[in-house]
Each structure stands twice: as C-alpha cells, then as structure tokens.
Amino acid sequence: MWVSLVLFLLGLLTALMAPRLLSRADWVEREPVVALWVWQCVVAAVLLSFALSMTFSASVAWQAVRGQVFAPAPNTVIEAYELGTSGPWSAVLAVALAAGGVWSGAMLGREIGRARARRRQRRCDLLVRAPLMPGEEPGGERLVVLEGERADVWWLAGPTPQLVITTAALRRLKGRQLDAVLAHEQGHARARHDWLRHCSAALAAGFPGVPVFTAFREEMHRLVELAADDVASRRFGRLTIALALVGLNEDRGVFGPGPGPGADLPRRVNRLLTAAPRLTAGRRLRLTAAAALVPVVPVLVAFVPALRALG
C-alpha cells in the first residue's frame, strides 16, 4: 500500500533534512523557547510518520489489525486504501517499526530510571553533607546551603524539589547575581526541562545513527540553558546573569582557549552581553504556528485516500 511507504519516506526525509534546516536558521539563539517548540514538533512529526506507517503496514499484512483499524470505515474508504494488495514488505516494515517503538519506550524507561537513581544518590549525598537536625523532615527546606570550596548551584528535582547552593557560590555572587542564578534554576524547574533532556537522551541513545535524534539531544541541552538564561535576564538584566555565570565557572577553565566540558558557557556569556534583539511578536507567532503544522502533515497524508473516497 502506497500510503505506508509515503509515510515512511516522509519520516526519513524529515529526520534527515530538519537538522540541516534548523542549523542554518539565524533566529534560534535569539528565541530559544520558540526553537524548543520547533524541535519538539519536528520530532513529533517523525515519530508520528513512523507510527502511522506501522499501522497501515500492519493493516495490509494482517486481517485482525485491519478489522480493528478500519472497523467503522465505509467500504469505499477501505477500497481506496487498497488493503488487498499486500506484499511481503508490509509485514517486515510493520514488525521493524513496532520493534523501533518498543525499543524507544525501553530507552525512555532506562533513561528515567537512571535519572531517578542519580537523583536518589544526590539526595543521599546531600543528607551526608547536610544532615538533618532532630525533628527536621527530609525535603522540608526548599533552599539548602552546603559548605564547599567550589562555587556551585543546582536544582534537585523530585516530589520535594530543592535548590542547593554552596558557600563558595554565596561568597562569589554579589547582590542581584544570586537572585539571577536562582531565577535561572527556577526557570528550568517551571518549564520541566528535565523531561526534554530525558526524552532527547532516550531517542539519541536508542537510535544513534538517526541525525534528527542526535541533534535533538544536543540542541535540547543547549537551548534549555539559553531559555533559562533569558528567564533570569528579563528579571535581573543580561549583565547580571552574565557576571553570575562567569563568577560560578571562572575557576573551572571553561573560558580558556581549548575546548572543555563547559565549552558552551563562553558562547552563553557572549550572547547575553551582545544582547541581540528578539524577533517581533508577529514573527514568533508565525514560527510557532508553522511548527505546529509540521506534525499535521503525516496525518493529512494518512487521510488523503479517505478524503478522496468521501469527496
């Protein structure tokens, strides 16, 4: 059946071309929130294309699946999909895509399990470094201050989220810089950026050869930081959050000439200091609406034979 093949090829084409097109866009760093939305819509379109292709291929290959999918459809619609013209490729494609879906779910479950294990370990380490006082309940305080010579701030997600900051960070952050860092971490928590990281990491780990999933993981880790920087800068100014980032990371060698684990930090600071103008509200709205239409394309392709038969 041609519909399942078209959907499969549409998913492949989107997976190959979308990262290249988005890498050439000049507005991504100016509007990271819009870019996050665009990436999610692109990945949703790829997954939806493969899911619909699997459904139609299984309908062609097996009568039991066909009866469930097309049970309420009139005979003219069923004839338009040419379900009787089955070939050996239908079952193979359906099984392969179903296996990919199961593998994706397994990778997501593994990623969530690892994240929970890391979170439990960090909470245990936190209890060792900051033991509870008699009568104090675990997770009762939203802000925890640790003794430490390394400046660090992080948000500990979970049922009772906590913001952890070291005494070295308190000494380095001056005035409103501490408030800006807190706003940055709260921006991550409110937008649930941890879920974006988990989903992108699961897809990239499950399908390392698919360009869209690899780029999705890399861009999610970069764009969520830019989005949180913007949350803080709107409240406390770009210079304040830029100085706070420098103060927290200047002793880690990330601002040196060679690449390192925090090589994106100099770019973030430079972005804050250059203060490129945002896109107009109209263009942001158009980009958001256009991205929302991307997952609609495979749905329209799937319904083309039915619409023709009923039209």
Side-chain angles (χ1 to χ4, degrees):
M1 186 176 60
W2 65 269
V3 176
S4 59
L5 284 178
V6 170
L7 288 168
F8 181 72
L9 293 176
L10 178 63
L12 284 180
L13 183 63
T14 306
L16 293 173
M17 296 302 298
R20 298 181 183 180
L21 295 176
L22 287 174
S23 65
R24 298 173 184 173
D26 59 353
W27 53 266
V28 172
E29 290 195 355
R30 295 163 62 187
E31 295 293 344
V33 175
V34 178
L36 285 170
W37 169 250
V38 172
W39 269 105
Q40 292 175 73
C41 291
V42 167
V43 172
V46 172
L47 297 178
L48 188 57
S49 297
F50 290 152
L52 290 172
S53 178
M54 177 196 67
T55 302
F56 284 114
S57 298
S59 299
V60 173
W62 297 291
Q63 179 65 38
V65 178
R66 186 187 313 170
Q68 295 293 326
V69 174
F70 290 91
N75 291 331
T76 55
V77 172
I78 298 176
E79 293 173 358
Y81 281 94
E82 302 176 358
L83 298 176
T85 59
S86 63
W89 59 266
S90 299
V92 173
L93 184 60
V95 171
L97 292 175
V102 173
W103 181 250
S104 300
M107 291 296 101
L108 180 59
R110 187 185 71 169
E111 181 65 25
I112 294 175
R114 288 180 174 179
R116 288 178 176 175
R118 289 193 298 267
R119 189 163 59 239
R120 285 194 298 267
Q121 184 61 45
R122 296 190 79 173
R123 288 192 180 276
C124 291
D125 295 342
L126 184 62
L127 287 176
V128 172
R129 297 180 62 183
L132 298 175
M133 301 298 291
E136 186 179 1
E137 297 182 359
E141 296 295 333
R142 299 294 297 271
L143 177 64
V144 180
V145 179
L146 292 180
E147 287 284 347
E149 296 301 321
R150 182 175 181 177
D152 204 357
V153 181
W154 69 90
W155 184 267
L156 194 57
T160 55
Q162 292 177 302
L163 183 66
V164 184
I165 184 170
T166 63
T167 52
L170 289 176
R171 289 192 297 268
R172 289 195 178 187
L173 298 176
K174 307 299 182 182
R176 291 161 60 87
Q177 294 177 15
L178 177 59
D179 295 329
V181 171
L182 299 183
H184 174 99
E185 297 299 331
Q186 289 170 353
H188 283 311
R190 291 196 186 99
R192 301 306 303 267
H193 287 161
D194 53 336
W195 278 103
L196 287 177
R197 290 193 179 104
H198 296 333
C199 293
S200 62
L203 289 172
F207 305 95
V210 181
V212 70
F213 296 149
T214 303
F216 183 49
R217 177 184 58 186
E218 295 173 355
E219 287 298 287
M220 287 306 98
H221 283 72
R222 184 175 72 96
L223 291 174
V224 295
E225 295 298 335
L226 300 184
D229 287 344
D230 288 348
V231 170
S233 66
R234 291 189 191 106
R235 293 182 58 186
F236 301 100
R238 289 177 174 268
L239 180 60
T240 303
I241 184 63
L243 292 175
L245 290 174
V246 173
L248 287 174
N249 298 280
E250 61 183 350
D251 60 344
R252 301 181 185 181
V254 298
F255 295 101
D264 60 329
L265 269 169
R267 294 183 59 185
R268 288 170 57 190
V269 173
N270 183 66
R271 170 181 175 270
L272 290 167
L273 295 177
T274 53
R278 297 188 62 187
L279 300 180
T280 63
R283 188 177 178 189
R284 293 199 302 270
L285 181 61
R286 289 193 297 271
L287 285 171
T288 303
L293 293 176
V294 174
V296 179
V297 174
V299 178
L300 291 178
V301 172
F303 280 99
V304 163
L307 295 175
R308 285 181 177 178
L310 296 175

